[in-house]
């Protein structure tokens, strides 16, 4: 992927073009992590999100880490890339999906 850089107003930090800012969408679609069910992160059901991520991680031949780590990493990546634009209700569902993912893989819940 090639991005075109323009000078920024911050010393030594290039400004990013619109094409370069969409790198996260490309990562989600073409990542070696795993293949994801379409629109899975839009679900309001945390258990469904966790189950889908678990299935994807266990069946992926492209992931480089263990299934739990790959699934949790993809969920965290999605949450982080949304950043401040992620509404509180969505963030709660996705954070709950982390707990459901731990349960699905037989890991202890945090906190």
């Amino acid at each position: 992927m090639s991005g075109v850089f323009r000078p920024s107003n911050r010393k030594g930090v290039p400004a990013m073009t619109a094409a370069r800012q969409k790198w996260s969408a490309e990562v989600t679609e073409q990542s070696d992590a795993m293949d994801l069910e379409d629109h899975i992160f839009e679900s309001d059901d945390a258990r469904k999100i966790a189950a889908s991520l678990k299935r994807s991680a266990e069946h992926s031949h492209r992931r480089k880490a263990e299934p739990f780590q790959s699934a949790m990493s993809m969920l965290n990546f999605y949450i982080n890339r949304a950043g401040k634009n992620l509404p509180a209700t969505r963030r709660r569902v996705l954070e709950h999906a982390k707990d459901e993912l731990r349960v699905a893989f037989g890991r202890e819940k945090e906190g």
Side-chain angles (χ1 to χ4, degrees):
M1 178 176 82
S2 64
V4 177
F5 290 100
R6 292 177 282 133
S8 76
N9 56 1
R10 291 179 33 203
K11 197 176 219 178
V13 179
M16 296 170 75
T17 64
R20 180 75 177 151
Q21 290 175 343
K22 296 185 182 202
W23 68 270
S24 60
E26 184 174 330
V27 168
T28 301
E29 293 169 6
Q30 299 176 8
S31 170
D32 280 339
M34 60 185 163
D35 295 317
L36 298 175
E37 181 181 332
D38 289 339
H39 307 286
I40 189 57
F41 294 116
E42 295 171 14
S43 174
D44 290 329
D45 186 344
R47 188 171 290 161
K48 180 179 176 183
I49 294 169
S52 178
L53 287 170
K54 183 176 190 241
R55 260 191 319 276
S56 294
E58 290 177 337
H59 291 98
S60 176
H61 297 290
R62 297 186 307 151
R63 65 177 164 73
K64 295 179 181 177
E66 293 299 314
F68 174 74
Q69 183 180 356
S70 292
M72 188 63 76
S73 292
M74 190 57 75
L75 182 53
N76 280 317
F77 174 78
Y78 183 84
I79 293 168
N80 291 338
R81 85 169 191 196
K84 294 178 183 177
N85 296 324
L86 189 63
T89 54
R90 292 284 334 128
R91 182 173 298 277
R92 276 192 297 276
V93 169
L94 295 172
E95 290 294 336
H96 184 63
K98 287 182 186 181
D99 292 334
E100 292 295 337
L101 195 56
R102 288 183 189 97
V103 169
F105 277 99
R107 307 280 177 116
E108 290 187 28
K109 287 187 180 182
E110 289 184 357

